[in-house]
Amino acid sequence: MNVKGIHHLSAMTGDAPGNVAFYTEVLGMRLIKKTVNQDDTSAYHLFYGDERGNPGTELTFFDFPVIPKHIPGLGSISGMSLRVPSDAALAYWSERFSAHGVKHSEIQAFAGRRVIFFEDPEGQQLSLVSDETNAGVPGGTPWERSPVPVPLGITGLGPVKLTVRNPAGTLAALRLLGFTEKSRVPALAEGQADIIIMQTGEGGSGAEVQVEPRTDLSVGRLGYGGVHHVAFRVEDKEELLAWIEILNREGLRNSGFVERYYFRSLYFREPGGILFELATDGPGFVTDEPFETLGESLALPPFLEPQRASIEAKLKPLHTKR
């Protein structure tokens, strides 16, 4: 039993309005769910994705305005990537980034694909990866009302980079989930070991993790501009419960079953200190809102609905363009 690929990534922002503006107006992703952090309902939890937030397309942000800036380092998710359909799409994005003042690299080759590295306004480290020659886990469908033309739009999540001091434990955890080594690429930092490329399921950019060993860094400190956790796809609740048994058998402390309403989850830290989540492909985001109006209103799962008045009183209104 293997995980199928990347389900979602959850990052940190200190500026919810600016975050929405960048990810919807510049990157052209759809805000598919405006809800709250279920463990701290004073904070927004914003979900972006393809037209309906299919698994493997979801990039999410917790909004904590008072947190400090992220300090990169060991035990962190140090890079996120977003998929686009082709090399021609990368050329479009290079021009778009320049027009919008987005800090970005030239189009270059990395780990067998053409990529553009860029930052969001809070310093979040991202890249766009071309699926020109990619096989494997299929991407999603960009929203037709996006400001970015659909044939050039973002189709989902690509490879995730993990930075650790000793890769052995991280690699063992990934192998337990069904990942196997695909290749190695030269380190991005001088004097460091090769980056180890791991893949699972059908493979391709939507099922890839890059493990970067570093001996020249201190431990990172999570803040705005950093990534909280990475989630991997499992089919359904029954499979998730089976994974709980596997983790317990392996001696990996975990959260056990967690009901998130839009999907079901469990959480554990791999030996390098990075938080992993396993999340089911369903039920999905149209369970409590029509497809046509996803993300337009504050959505709360049924177990938080009785607290709506007190929750809304603690949140600053967040207006989005449509």
Side-chain angles (χ1 to χ4, degrees), residues 6 9 76-81 110 117 125 158-164 188 195-197 208-214 227 230 274:
I6 301 162
L9 283 157
S76 70
I77 299 168
S78 54
M80 307 188 292
S81 58
F110 180 74
F117 294 98
Q125 298 298 300
V160 178
K161 182 159 70 77
L162 314 179
T163 296
V164 295
L188 297 173
I195 297 172
I196 305 154
I197 310 299
E208 186 174 296
V209 172
Q210 302 167 352
V211 180
E212 178 189 40
R214 295 287 292 267
V227 186
V230 57
I274 297 168

Side-chain angles (χ1 to χ4, degrees), residues 123-167:
Q124 191 73 245
Q125 298 298 300
L126 299 116
S127 62
L128 292 179
V129 298
S130 168
D131 274 348
E132 180 87 20
T133 58
N134 181 63
V137 175
T141 303
W143 190 31
E144 64 179 11
R145 291 170 58 188
S146 168
V148 174
V150 169
L152 302 171
I154 291 168
T155 59
L157 300 174
V160 178
K161 182 159 70 77
L162 314 179
T163 296
V164 295
R165 182 180 299 279
N166 183 351

